[in-house]
Amino acid sequence: MRGIVEVIWLEDRLKDRGHEKRLKFVKSAIENKGYESNIEQVSNLEDAKEILLNKNRRVDFFISDYNLGDNETGLDYLIEVRNKELFKQFFILYSNNDYDQIREDIIAKLKETRVQLFSNFTFISLASSVTVKQDFENAVKISLSRWDELNAMRGLYMCEHAELEWLLRVKFEAVGDDNKTYKQLFNQLKNGTTQSYKGLHRGIFKEWENEIGLRNLLAHTSEEYDTSRGFCIKSTVDKSFVIYEDELDKKRAHLKGLKEKILFLIEGPNRSYPSSNVREPIRN
């Protein structure tokens, strides 16, 4: 999995001690999540806009000071980011103003532009020095929640199939036998199924076999960003295998339903699925 978080930080006073402290807050928050950070700092809105022109540039989230000078604000940068159709990248906006003032400014800006441009962002007031560190830590956690979910999907596949492999090893008394692979145990179960029931369960056996291959592919993955569909995890062994963020719910539901059928087969494949089974066997 990709372990470096790419951040663009817009701040017109990069040498300010307060900014340096906030930079440390964010770096520490990212490292505490188990990732490394690559934070590019820019001091003016024009340089920040230049970065947005590079479509191949990977950015995980943006951070910006609200008060940039020259009648420019971090809200202008947020709108520029969203106008480039970077809707999923999280945006952190901070200001010396209190929360009431920030809200008023945002409401005023909402009257000038589309509401959806203000999605997926948070704002932090620096007026209270007591909670600033915690506020930045929480914002980082929110911004990286997408990574956590993709990582969790990868872990779910690995965990579920580890359990299925264990059950096969118990069934065929192969616990501790390193000479027998998961795929070999699968074939042993399939080959021990009568022809009639092998035909009945053909679709499930085929899907299960494919999933065994996917588990191996998921052992070597990277996180990437697809401009047409968003974040995804992709196998570094087989680039054709991709899990997109927008299909995680469907993938989880499918894995759950398939596992139920596989458990049925491990218990005994030479029988028909019970009528109470919610999902019918897949036939090919």
Side-chain angles (χ1 to χ4, degrees), residues 76-87 113-114 117:
D76 297 314
Y77 186 34
L78 170 59
I79 292 171
E80 285 286 339
V81 168
R82 298 301 185 239
N83 280 333
K84 295 297 181 182
E85 297 187 348
L86 302 175
F87 294 110
T113 188
R114 292 176 292 154
L117 295 180

Side-chain angles (χ1 to χ4, degrees), residues 24-156:
K24 289 181 180 179
F25 293 160
V26 171
K27 281 180 173 290
S28 294
I30 292 173
E31 290 171 1
N32 289 338
K33 292 281 290 178
Y35 303 114
E36 295 181 29
S37 63
N38 182 28
I39 302 176
E40 181 172 348
Q41 303 174 67
V42 291
S43 59
N44 61 77
L45 188 56
E46 286 306 311
D47 288 345
K49 289 179 181 179
E50 278 293 318
I51 293 173
L52 298 179
L53 296 176
N54 184 355
K55 293 184 178 180
N56 295 320
R57 176 67 182 271
R58 187 199 307 279
V59 181
D60 297 305
F61 65 93
F62 298 87
I63 304 176
S64 177
D65 182 14
Y66 179 87
N67 305 296
L68 298 175
D70 296 327
N71 295 318
E72 294 175 329
T73 70
L75 287 176
D76 297 314
Y77 186 34
L78 170 59
I79 292 171
E80 285 286 339
V81 168
R82 298 301 185 239
N83 280 333
K84 295 297 181 182
E85 297 187 348
L86 302 175
F87 294 110
K88 292 188 176 182
Q89 282 80 353
F90 200 75
F91 197 104
I92 302 171
L93 184 68
Y94 60 93
S95 171
N96 287 315
N97 297 332
D98 60 28
Y99 283 107
D100 289 337
Q101 182 61 53
I102 297 173
R103 288 190 188 94
E104 288 181 15
D105 293 339
I106 291 175
I107 291 171
K109 185 65 71 171
L110 280 170
K111 295 178 180 178
E112 303 173 12
T113 188
R114 292 176 292 154
V115 174
Q116 57 264 41
L117 295 180
F118 285 83
S119 62
N120 206 20
F121 91 106
T122 190
F123 53 88
I124 297 172
S125 172
L126 306 179
S128 173
S129 60
V130 178
T131 62
V132 169
K133 182 175 183 292
Q134 186 64 51
D135 288 342
F136 272 98
E137 289 176 349
N138 290 338
V140 168
K141 288 178 182 177
I142 295 171
S143 67
L144 295 180
S145 61
R146 181 174 296 109
W147 281 38
D148 293 339
E149 189 172 8
L150 284 167
N151 277 326
M153 189 69 225
R154 175 179 178 269
L156 182 62

Side-chain angles (χ1 to χ4, degrees), residues 4-5 10-11 48 51 70 81 108 125 127 129 136-137 140 157 160-161 180 223-224 238 244 257 280:
I4 301 177
V5 179
L10 175 56
E11 165 62 65
I51 293 173
D70 296 327
V81 168
S125 172
S129 60
F136 272 98
E137 289 176 349
V140 168
Y157 267 95
E160 297 287 33
H161 282 282
K180 282 198 172 182
E223 181 174 311
E224 301 189 14
D238 180 356
Y244 289 94
E280 291 297 321

Side-chain angles (χ1 to χ4, degrees), residues 214-235:
L214 294 184
R215 187 189 77 156
N216 296 333
L217 293 178
L218 278 167
H220 306 281
T221 60
S222 62
E223 181 174 311
E224 301 189 14
Y225 183 78
D226 186 315
T227 54
S228 63
R229 289 190 64 177
F231 287 97
C232 62
I233 49 176
K234 180 180 291 188
S235 170

